Amino acid sequence: MRRRGFSLIELTAVLLIAAIAAGAVALNLRGPVRRAQMRDVIEQVAAFDHLTRHFAREHDRPVRLVIDVSAGELSRTGGQNDEMLGEACVLPAGYRIGKLYVRGKGITVGRAAVACSRLGFMPTYAMCIEGPEDQVRWVLLAGLTGEVAEIDDEEQLRDILEAPARRDDAR
């Protein structure tokens, strides 16, 4: 008389197929998850820039956005003693600032300050955010408007930064 049920070999085969399928799903999701994490880091930097501009307008005083390339940290400072204003923005683990462009200078180590007027205007600046698995995104922050643009590579970024200002004098 034969029993009804599954043999050990059949159960092992089913578990093996399930493990392979789960692994394939995990590999397929890794790319979108990494891109979403990079997007979150870029939004965090953009929000800190926006809040710095807002702080300057709200308090009717100039401030400085200090970017520590080595530590992957952004902070606001101001006043005679250049005290820190509010909390710093620290990039999440695994992400770093690879390079910063401020006023045409490329900075790869140390700190740089971006002046923000009491009206919330800054010079245009850009930073390269590097993440896990060789993710690289350039983020350009427009000086007058604070608009954020993502750029694919450094050469394209330099072309934008070095382009002469356009004037609409033809009217």
Side-chain angles (χ1 to χ4, degrees):
M1 187 187 282
R2 238 183 125 190
R3 291 186 173 180
R4 298 188 112 202
F6 298 105
S7 71
L8 184 58
I9 293 174
E10 292 169 327
L11 286 174
T12 304
V14 168
L15 288 174
L16 180 63
I17 291 170
I20 291 171
V25 168
L27 286 176
N28 284 337
L29 289 178
R30 188 169 37 173
V33 168
R34 292 280 188 216
R35 284 190 293 279
Q37 288 171 333
M38 177 63 84
R39 171 115 289 303
D40 286 346
V41 172
I42 291 169
E43 288 174 3
Q44 185 178 2
V45 168
F48 197 82
D49 175 89
H50 175 76
L51 289 172
T52 300
R53 293 166 189 268
H54 179 74
F55 183 94
R57 286 189 299 269
E58 185 77 18
H59 295 278
D60 193 31
R61 66 187 257 203
V63 296
R64 295 180 342 142
L65 172 65
V66 178
I67 303 168
D68 190 332
V69 176
S70 303
E73 181 178 294
L74 292 81
S75 59
R76 276 184 296 278
T77 63
Q80 292 179 347
N81 298 331
D82 214 20
E83 73 266 9
M84 194 161 150
L85 306 169
E87 295 292 318
C89 171
V90 180
L91 298 185
Y95 292 87
R96 66 184 213 89
I97 300 170
K99 192 170 193 178
L100 173 70
Y101 276 103
V102 179
R103 298 191 184 274
K105 293 181 183 177
I107 301 163
T108 57
V109 293
R111 298 166 59 126
V114 181
C116 180
S117 75
R118 63 185 185 82
L119 298 174
F121 300 139
M122 297 179 169
T124 298
Y125 67 97
M127 67 179 72
C128 177
I129 299 178
E130 299 174 352
E133 297 181 14
D134 298 327
Q135 287 182 310
V136 175
R137 292 300 291 167
W138 281 93
V139 182
L140 176 70
L141 294 113
L144 291 177
T145 63
E147 291 292 320
V148 178
E150 292 182 43
I151 311 296
D152 291 326
D153 61 37
E154 189 173 1
E155 185 177 326
Q156 183 183 12
L157 175 77
R158 274 194 251 120
D159 288 344
I160 292 169
L161 291 175
E162 293 170 3
R166 294 182 185 174
R167 294 188 178 176
D168 195 11
D169 295 333
R171 290 185 191 182

